């Protein structure tokens, strides 16, 4: 088969969809030597270099990702290939797909879910996330979803959301976990990496993930500032990644909260090899998102055996049912109390750490890739 894959988000390797795109393609390349794959993106991603000879990489210039998603399949290269399967690795449908069977992966339904009345009344959606696009997206999404020959999603939670808001069924193929988070870490490796970032193993909490509104970074920051001085003076707070709220926190620490600046470490965007070691070296991680389809950072914390204080939302309950300390995402006091409890209750800490090590062992990119190959075959029958 000739399989075309929209890999547009590979240019954003630090976001969830970008990471998903890169890891899935790498694992397809590792196990499938029979089919031919044609990878399309707006710019060439260094993270997808060294693919085998049955993988072909094409770049199609576009002003932005949205226009790329709509128009890449009208390129000369795509038309000449005339693929049997077109796989869109996020929720979009191009203007033209030829005779190809269409596979769409939907990671989540951020806009309709966060704009829903039930989420707002339960305070599980920030008011700033309400948008006209969100209120209307379930209507436009129904038409897009029905154009797919196979609809895939990454969790049972997302599958239920798709059924509720789009009125269609989606098969669940769980995301895998990046190899860097699965591989064991030595004490020396953790010590060396922590030292490079000005940290000491097990003497810091870590947040890693996106910095958009729904990620709830400011509530986590405020919860940390509300901690007793003894806790803040002993532990540092490491914030990985970049974005609007990272910059906002830095501005606060340079201004009226400058006396607390020494308690924070900002890494910026760093390679998974370093991020996975920093996650393993942390005392615990904090992940307060209002909504997720899967939740890579929470699952990755589990993979390295580190307790995660996380939002009590359906997807995180699904992927790590017994290995998290769950709190209401809108209640800052619950985050603060959870941090204090983990610091003071060693029995609870050890139990969550032990449970975490095995909680995410079933998330395998190899297994996900095998299931996608099965989907491709079924689309041509």
């Amino acid at each position: 088969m000739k399989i075309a894959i929209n890999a547009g988000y590979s240019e954003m390797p630090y976001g969830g969809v970008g990471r998903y795109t890169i890891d899935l393609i790498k694992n397809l390349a590792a196990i499938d030597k029979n089919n031919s794959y044609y990878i399309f993106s707006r710019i060439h991603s260094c993270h997808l270099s060294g693919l085998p000879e049955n993988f072909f990489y094409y770049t199609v210039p576009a002003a932005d990702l949205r226009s790329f998603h709509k128009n890449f399949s009208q390129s000369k290269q795509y038309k000449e290939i005339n693929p049997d399967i077109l796989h869109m690795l996020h929720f979009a449908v191009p203007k033209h797909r030829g005779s190809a069977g269409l596979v769409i992966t939907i990671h989540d339904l951020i806009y309709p879910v966060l704009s829903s009345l039930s989420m707002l009344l339960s305070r599980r959606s920030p008011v700033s996330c309400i948008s006209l696009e969100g209120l209307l997206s379930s209507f436009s999404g129904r038409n897009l979803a029905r154009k797919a020959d196979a609809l895939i999603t990454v969790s049972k939670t997302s599958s239920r959301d798709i059924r509720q808001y789009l009125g269609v069924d989606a098969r669940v193929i769980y995301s895998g976990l990046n190899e860097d988070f699965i591989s064991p870490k030595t004490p020396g490796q953790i010590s060396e990496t922590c030292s490079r970032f000005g940290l000491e193993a097990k003497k810091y909490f870590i947040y890693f993930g996106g910095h958009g509104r729904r990620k709830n970074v400011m509530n986590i920051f405020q919860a940390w500032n509300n901690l007793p001085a003894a806790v803040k003076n002993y532990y540092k707070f490491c914030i990985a990644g970049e974005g609007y709220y990272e910059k906002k926190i830095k501005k606060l620490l340079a201004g009226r909260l400058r006396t607390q600046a020494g308690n924070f470490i900002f890494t910026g965007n760093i390679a998974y090899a370093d991020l996975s070691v920093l996650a393993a070296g942390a005392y615990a991680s904090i992940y307060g998102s209002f909504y997720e389809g899967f939740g890579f950072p929470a699952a990755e914390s589990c993979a390295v055996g580190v307790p995660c204080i996380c939002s009590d939302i359906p997807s995180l309950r699904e992927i790590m049912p017994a290995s998290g300390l769950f709190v209401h995402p809108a209640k800052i006091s619950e985050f603060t109390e959870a941090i204090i409890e983990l610091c003071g209750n060693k029995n609870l800490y050890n139990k969550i750490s032990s449970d975490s090590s095995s909680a995410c062992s079933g998330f395998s990119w190899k297994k996900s890739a095998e299931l996608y190959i099965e989907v491709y075959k079924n689309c041509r029958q």
Side-chain angles (χ1 to χ4, degrees):
M1 283 188 296
K2 295 184 291 184
I3 302 163
I5 296 180
N6 178 327
Y9 272 94
S10 62
E11 69 179 69
M12 301 171 66
Y14 301 105
V17 181
R19 297 168 71 179
Y20 185 100
T21 298
I22 292 165
D23 282 334
L24 176 60
I25 291 173
K26 283 184 173 180
N27 280 271
L28 287 169
I31 66 172
D32 191 355
K33 309 303 179 185
N34 298 319
N35 296 305
S36 296
Y37 289 83
Y38 302 86
I39 311 302
F40 288 85
S41 65
R42 193 168 67 105
I43 59 177
H44 195 284
S45 171
C46 63
H47 298 278
L48 289 175
S49 58
L51 294 173
E53 60 183 13
N54 60 321
F55 278 68
F56 306 89
Y57 204 130
Y58 299 94
T59 56
V60 179
D64 52 40
L65 269 178
R66 178 171 290 188
S67 61
F68 168 79
H69 296 320
K70 288 183 178 179
N71 300 314
F72 81 95
S73 58
Q74 298 187 74
S75 65
K76 178 182 177 182
Q77 299 99 313
Y78 182 93
K79 291 178 180 178
E80 288 179 348
I81 294 164
N82 189 25
D84 300 304
I85 299 292
L86 169 58
H87 188 178
M88 300 293 292
L89 283 174
H90 78 296
F91 193 14
V93 176
K95 289 181 178 179
H96 166 83
R97 58 162 160 152
S99 60
L102 180 61
V103 179
I104 299 178
T105 298
I106 301 179
H107 298 269
D108 50 50
L109 292 180
I110 296 170
Y111 290 122
V113 173
L114 289 184
S115 296
S116 68
L117 183 61
S118 61
M119 289 287 282
L120 294 169
L121 290 177
S122 65
R123 294 180 61 210
R124 291 183 176 274
S125 175
V127 174
S128 58
C129 283
I130 303 174
S131 67
L132 180 60
E133 182 179 4
L135 295 171
L136 297 177
S137 59
S138 60
F139 297 102
S140 59
R142 286 173 182 260
N143 293 327
L144 293 179
R146 290 191 174 107
K147 293 180 180 180
D149 296 294
L151 204 59
I152 309 299
T153 192
V154 297
S155 67
K156 293 177 182 177
T157 299
S158 282
S159 181
R160 287 193 296 269
D161 289 342
I162 291 167
R163 162 51 57 185
Q164 178 179 349
Y165 291 96
L166 303 184
V168 294
D169 293 318
R171 176 180 175 179
V172 176
I173 296 179
Y174 282 109
S175 303
L177 295 180
N178 185 275
E179 184 63 33
D180 286 317
F181 284 90
I182 298 172
S183 59
K185 311 293 185 293
T186 66
Q189 186 182 9
I190 292 173
S191 177
E192 186 277 328
T193 303
C194 287
S195 179
R196 278 195 284 118
F197 288 94
L199 295 164
E200 186 176 347
K202 300 305 174 184
K203 287 191 175 182
Y204 63 93
F205 284 69
I206 188 169
Y207 169 83
F208 59 100
H211 287 261
R213 291 172 182 170
R214 70 183 171 93
K215 298 298 185 179
N216 206 19
V217 179
M218 288 307 298
N219 274 1
I220 296 171
F221 174 69
Q222 291 174 36
W224 185 267
N225 284 335
N226 292 342
L227 287 168
V231 176
K232 289 190 289 187
N233 291 338
Y234 186 80
Y235 295 99
K236 289 189 176 182
F237 190 22
C238 175
I239 299 177
E242 296 177 354
Y244 173 78
Y245 289 101
E246 174 237 11
K247 293 179 176 63
K248 186 173 182 178
I249 291 171
K250 283 182 175 179
K251 187 175 181 179
L252 287 170
L253 293 174
R256 62 183 177 85
L257 297 177
R258 59 184 175 276
T259 57
Q260 299 186 41
N263 293 329
F264 291 83
I265 297 292
F266 297 89
T267 69
N269 288 328
I270 55 176
Y272 296 164
D274 282 337
L275 180 59
S276 62
V277 179
L278 287 184
Y283 184 78
S285 70
I286 309 176
Y287 194 62
S289 180
F290 281 98
Y291 174 76
E292 292 293 331
F294 184 77
F296 278 118
E300 288 163 346
S301 295
C302 287
V304 296
V306 168
C308 183
I309 298 170
C310 59
S311 299
D312 191 358
I313 57 176
S315 59
L316 299 188
R317 283 281 186 182
E318 177 184 346
I319 66 171
M320 42 185 290
S323 53
L325 194 56
F326 294 95
V327 299
H328 192 299
K331 295 181 179 179
I332 295 171
S333 61
E334 289 194 14
F335 282 101
T336 302
E337 291 163 5
I339 295 169
I340 294 171
E341 186 172 13
L342 268 190
C343 292
N345 188 337
K346 294 301 180 182
N347 289 333
L348 174 65
Y349 180 86
N350 292 334
K351 181 181 185 304
I352 295 177
S353 297
S354 176
D355 292 342
S356 295
S357 300
S358 58
C360 297
S361 59
F363 299 127
S364 159
W365 274 121
K366 181 177 182 292
K367 182 178 180 181
S368 299
E370 289 171 346
L371 291 173
Y372 267 116
I373 293 170
E374 177 186 300
V375 170
Y376 300 152
K377 290 178 180 177
N378 290 339
C379 273
R380 295 306 296 170
Q381 292 177 356

